[in-house]
Amino acid sequence: MTPFQFHRAGDAEEAVRLGATSASKYLGGGTNLVDLMRETIERPERVIDVTGLSGEIAMNDAAELIIGAAARNTAVAENRLVRERYPLLARAILAGASGQIRNMATVGGNILQRTRCTYFYDDDGSRCNKRQLGQGCDAIDGFNRIHAILGASSLCVATHPSDMCVALVALDAVVHLRGVRGQRVVPLAELHRLPGDRPDVETVLEPDELITHITLPPQPPGRSTYRKVRDRSSYAFALVSVAASLAVDEGRVADVRLAFGGVAHKPWRARKAEAVLLGQSANEEAFAAAIDAELTDARPLKDNAFKIDLARRATVAVLADLTGQQA
């Protein structure tokens, strides 16, 4: 591990002041950053511990849920307001990692965790444009079973690993940022970038910006859930995951929110499928037609074409469950 300075910030203002250099990194639970530093993929000159910032989970007067960036994943999943009003968020968090990791991981750190592409981690033997732009991407012609089928580029086919973020995107979460130039808010669906020609730039954050908290709009109508398909029942990243919220009125879809994990460089909000479904009969045929519209742009690699059918079947099953049917 490369030597670095360590600071513990007392509040957001101090954290931003200490982090106002491109060679600084904010440290939450350390469940991803420390691994990357051990592998010398991340080599910050200064690490700022931000676990002392707010981890509060509370409802405001507008019935929005506010979650501090330092809130631990376990605390969010076990929170009464989350379990009652946003059950798909609790399910998504509990589907991720292990209990020990969830106890350490923070909301801010989870949002900013980096891809688990094995070629990204193989600093000694693999080419990776995300790790070093211009180097090349060994995943494109390599073993790419877990890689992207939507939104990838000729430079990068990595996927975003977070389960929590898929649920937050489906719930229209908003991220609150603080930097040396002030504060701003960004919808979570717009925080992460597709790879394009700069796969090394993963978010729209400025180098000094700190996530202070997120807000969730009032509880969506209807029922919601999260389903993760993976190679084993625990401690595995998603092949495909589905976050869904569905409201049905007189047999027709009155409100629907859909997001996918494991298919793209970012949590993928399925807006085409939502547009197709709205107002349609809530049945399996309509669900399948909607997901087919979303997956029209899918571009599988040699090892992951199965994800298209897997995403289709998982989504139809999830929506059918939410209507009380069984797919």
Side-chain angles (χ1 to χ4, degrees):
M1 186 179 289
T2 305
F4 59 91
Q5 298 177 4
F6 179 82
H7 303 271
R8 181 171 287 116
D11 54 32
E13 182 178 2
E14 183 182 13
V16 169
R17 179 174 56 77
L18 291 169
T21 71
S22 59
S24 297
K25 285 287 182 183
Y26 297 119
L27 177 71
T31 56
N32 187 208
L33 178 61
V34 173
D35 285 345
L36 293 169
M37 291 172 65
R38 284 179 180 146
E39 299 291 337
T40 68
I41 295 169
E42 293 277 10
R43 302 177 185 180
E45 296 176 4
R46 176 183 289 184
V47 173
I48 300 107
D49 183 340
V50 293
T51 54
L53 276 60
S54 174
E56 184 181 26
I57 305 170
M59 196 71 70
N60 65 16
D61 293 340
E64 297 172 324
L65 188 70
I66 302 171
I67 304 177
R72 303 288 180 177
N73 279 15
T74 296
V76 178
E78 293 182 348
N79 182 271
R80 179 181 59 81
L81 292 170
V82 173
R83 296 177 73 89
E84 290 179 357
R85 298 174 182 244
Y86 308 97
L88 76 89
L89 175 57
R91 286 175 177 268
I93 292 174
L94 293 175
S98 65
Q100 292 90 340
I101 291 175
R102 293 194 295 269
N103 290 342
M104 287 297 297
T106 63
V107 166
N110 192 317
I111 290 172
L112 296 180
Q113 68 177 302
R114 306 194 69 185
T115 183
R116 305 300 169 137
C117 173
T118 53
Y119 298 98
F120 172 69
Y121 273 81
D122 183 18
D123 192 19
D124 293 328
S126 299
R127 299 177 303 150
C128 176
N129 286 316
K130 182 179 288 297
R131 199 177 55 236
Q132 184 178 338
L133 189 63
Q135 193 176 58
C137 173
D138 280 341
I140 291 175
D141 294 319
F143 183 63
N144 44 42
R145 183 170 180 270
I146 67 168
H147 291 75
I149 58 173
L150 289 166
S153 78
S154 60
L155 299 186
C156 183
V157 293
T159 52
H160 191 266
S162 171
D163 292 290
M164 183 190 76
C165 285
V166 182
L168 291 176
V169 164
L171 291 167
D172 292 324
V174 172
V175 183
H176 296 252
L177 305 172
R178 182 166 182 162
V180 295
R181 286 163 296 282
Q183 302 178 44
R184 64 180 179 128
V185 297
V186 177
L188 184 58
E190 299 173 12
L191 184 82
H192 300 98
R193 296 176 69 258
L194 291 176
D197 60 359
R198 289 299 307 269
D200 55 319
V201 181
E202 298 173 344
T203 72
V204 299
L205 267 68
E206 298 294 334
D208 62 285
E209 282 188 315
L210 171 72
I211 297 174
T212 58
H213 61 287
I214 62 173
T215 51
L216 298 182
Q219 177 184 5
R223 303 174 63 198
S224 68
T225 192
Y226 182 81
R227 184 172 296 182
K228 179 177 181 177
V229 184
R230 49 189 164 178
D231 281 329
R232 56 180 185 272
S233 60
S234 67
Y235 203 62
F237 295 96
L239 296 171
V240 169
S241 66
V242 181
S245 171
L246 180 69
V248 178
D249 183 20
E250 297 184 349
R252 295 190 175 274
V253 175
D255 189 277
V256 60
R257 325 278 174 91
L258 278 174
F260 301 143
V263 298
H265 203 255
K266 59 186 289 185
W268 189 268
R269 182 68 182 261
R271 296 198 184 279
K272 288 183 182 177
E274 292 175 357
V276 170
L277 262 181
L278 202 60
Q280 298 299 309
S281 297
N283 56 45
E284 290 183 26
E285 291 74 19
F287 300 154
I291 187 60
D292 285 345
E294 187 69 42
L295 295 173
T296 297
D297 297 328
R299 298 290 180 270
L301 302 163
K302 67 180 177 61
D303 297 321
N304 68 1
F306 72 94
K307 283 191 174 187
I308 296 176
D309 187 50
L310 186 60
R312 185 178 190 271
R313 287 187 287 115
T315 306
V316 170
V318 163
L319 292 173
D321 281 352
L322 291 176
T323 63
Q325 306 169 33
Q326 287 188 342

